Amino acid sequence: MDIPQLYRSQKAFFNSNQTKDVSFRIQQLKKLKHILKSNEQKLYDAIYTDFAKSEFETYATELALIYHDINLFIKKIPDWSRKTWVSTGLANFPASSYVMPEPLGNTLVIGAWNYPYQLSILPALTALAAGNTVILKPSEVPSNTSRVMAELINTNFSSEYFAVVEGGVLETTALLEHRYDKVFFTGSTQVGKIIYQAAAKHLSPVTLELGGKSPTIIMADANIKMTAKRIVWAKFLNAGQTCIAPDYILVEKSVKEKLIEALKKEMAIYPHSAEEMSDHYLKIVNTKNFDRLDAMIDNSKVCHGGNRNREDRFIEPTLMRDVSFDDDVMKEEIFGPILPIIAFTDLDKVIQEIKNRPKPLSFYVYSKNKKTIKKLLKEISFGGGAINDSVMHISNSNLPFGGVGMSGIGSYHGKTGFDTFSHHKSILHKPFWFESSVKYPLYSNLKRKLISWLVE
Ligand code: NAD
């Protein structure tokens, strides 16, 4: 694809004002939903070829979120696009004031591989809902999902409005040579820095949805059986290749053994070898990631799982016990089916350990004690999270989704996403029939007193 030409055409199309029309946006979202719905089987087949993700998981963790937000936007765009009146104050009497949402313009959305549909299509459709044009660059890692998105979007939408550019570093670099009104990136913190630098050259605003290690604290008063059930699901969903998966467990020492036993019980349903692979568990996306994960596993600390097969890119859900903060598995985001367990006795020390590290994307605490929960939420800064659950906060689009510090800049989902891709234009509207003389020369003490009376 000729990137400079595509860029120019999207600029011209935005300037034609067509995307500002709310009914145009609604029509395009309905069209997108129809295209996805009528090609679901193609989407399922592509993702299965890439990393054996089942139809159930693809629907529940990717398409369901996409359909939900399409429906929400179709219903809410007319309301959210309306100006909102705000109070004006005497200084500007008899003016009125309002805030007018408007689309930012031309946007670039760069996706990650781990939820290839959700992380590409959801931000893209949010940008469209807010009235922008979109160039979408999905991750090249799951090549079949990238191809099917390109095929469906590029054959059904005009490229001046919504286009998919496939490719990796080379193509992304070429795309970033232009100025966008928003660069929306999902991926690693390391690449996030490269994107931020490239965008800064043009003063393009960014939203960066990044990663990191998300801690999970389990207190002795938690319901251990339910805790284990919820954590095991959240951790091994997508074979642990989830940015908000519980990365590691910090458990109060007195319940460590009980927790390990409960986790093992819950993990029994997963396959133990590549031959046992079923629709309930995925492959590791490629051998590069397999090797990275393989090197993290310290066999002497494995207390459940640990089987792996490079040829089939299979890693059994693996539990590691007696882990310390100095172990390899604690040095970088795991992003795979390995769950390390660290026991603690002093909660304040644990809080310090977390605070000494980059701010996590997610944080989870399992406890019934309101005081402990309040303390943790007050002391630890993180993007988003859950109490007595993991991962599920992503399913509520009323909750802004995004990181903080090294785990990201900005957020999206639902109304927050609409605002992320909008500019809120401030307007003061004054009629001609009255003008106070207070602000004009010649200045006097009386005028000054009047101003201070107005503001103080
Ligand atoms: P990645 O950073 O390797 O790649 C993301 C995108 O950037 C891809 O489209 C890729 O083609 C592009 N890219 C890679 N290197 C580039 C370069 N040098 N220059 C320009 N573009 C480049 O990330 P990934 O492996 O796809 O995803 C894994 C990471 O993403 C994890 O850290 C995970 O936590 C994070 N993640 C975050 C979220 C979130 O919502 N916050 C969601 C999913 C994944």
Side-chain angles (χ1 to χ4, degrees), residues 109-115 118-119 137-142 167-173 176 184-192 194-195 208-213 241-244 285 288-289 333 335 361 394 401-403 407-408 412-413:
V109 173
I110 304 167
W113 62 260
N114 56 324
Y115 289 81
Q118 190 217 124
L119 299 173
K137 209 298 291 172
S139 169
E140 74 285 17
V141 174
V169 178
L170 209 72
E171 290 76 7
T172 316
T173 309
L176 286 164
F184 187 103
F185 170 82
T186 305
S188 59
T189 300
Q190 191 191 351
V191 178
I194 298 171
I195 305 293
L208 303 175
E209 298 282 339
L210 310 176
K213 287 183 91 61
Q241 303 164 112
T242 303
C243 57
I244 50 171
V285 75
K288 187 177 156 203
N289 271 286
E333 180 183 0
F335 217 54
L361 178 60
I394 196 175
F401 183 81
S407 59
Y412 73 128
H413 287 189

Side-chain angles (χ1 to χ4, degrees), residues 350-396:
V350 159
I351 292 174
Q352 272 321 310
E353 289 284 1
I354 296 173
K355 281 182 168 178
N356 289 341
R357 290 170 166 73
K359 292 179 182 181
L361 178 60
S362 302
F363 172 77
Y364 306 112
V365 50
Y366 289 78
S367 172
K368 289 180 196 147
N369 187 319
K370 285 186 183 150
K371 258 192 178 164
T372 309
I373 294 168
K374 204 171 159 189
K375 176 184 169 75
L376 289 165
L377 294 186
K378 190 176 170 192
E379 289 206 29
I380 298 171
S381 178
F382 55 94
I387 297 154
N388 301 332
D389 207 351
S390 299
V391 167
M392 286 307 288
H393 60 298
I394 196 175
S395 65
N396 180 359

